[in-house]
Amino acid sequence: MATTEFGHLLRRWRDRVSPETAGLTVGGHRRAAGLRREELALLAGISVDYITRLEQGRSANPSEQVVEALGRALRLSGGEREQLFHAAGLVPPGRGTVPAFIPASVQRLLDRLSGTPVAVSDASWTLLLANPLWTALMGELHGKERNAVWRTFLGSTARTVHTPESLASLHVSQVAGLRATAARYPADQRLRRLIAELRAGSEHFAQLWESRAVDEHDGSHKTIDHPQLGLLTLDCDLLSVAGSDLRIMVYTAEPGTEDAERLALLGVLGTQTIG
């Protein structure tokens, strides 16, 4: 019964969100004003087949991560998000867990910054939402690589270029930040699993975790090695959202510089490959 209700809600809320509202570029005639399944799948990072099965009631028990991703893609209010969790047979995350809900005001902020690379992460540095320009700059991230700390210590090579000193500073900053987050959200089992995996998989992380190092990282500038555009040195500002513990990362370039020109070119090219 919960699965049928879940599918009904998905279809109803998908129909009310226009592609333009969701930040998608569309063209040509459309039979319906709302999102197509393919578009919802793109926004939520979920396969089209899985969304189809959820809507048709052929898949049961979606995970908390799936429900959260669908709620963000559908731009649900706080009450609607709770309704979607209940329809999935889940209890909405509560106190003691890392918040992952993105308020409508933050969604509108991202909409207005479409010409700037912007991403939103939670308090554990898991990427929740990124606009197309941020994805074009930093690349597509999937699965565990959506967590910046996991990516730093256990993942593949990132596009950010570091000196030995800046990398060491980043390591200390991320571990100290994750420790502080764990203290604020002691009931978050996903966060505890992340920390356990990092401690088991990275001796360096484990050493820093035990040392209780203090964060002194200055991340105001970053150099990105883009596969087509080369090196871009950008200002990186981190904004906090009061009451939600979300982190908004914004990349900008000083006007009139070569970096600004490359960033503007990235906006034209998007994620396409230069051939």
Side-chain angles (χ1 to χ4, degrees), residues 110 114 150 186 196 222 225 239 249 266:
L110 266 66
S114 59
W150 191 96
K222 286 191 178 180
D225 188 4
L239 313 177
M249 183 175 288
L266 183 66

Side-chain angles (χ1 to χ4, degrees), residues 21-56:
T21 299
L24 298 175
T25 303
V26 296
H29 176 71
R30 295 174 66 94
R31 290 182 296 176
L35 291 175
R36 295 168 175 161
R37 283 175 179 159
E38 294 82 0
E39 292 165 338
L40 178 57
L42 175 66
L43 291 168
I46 300 168
S47 73
V48 178
D49 177 66
Y50 189 39
I51 288 179
T52 301
R53 288 187 282 117
L54 286 171
E55 289 192 353
Q56 295 177 350

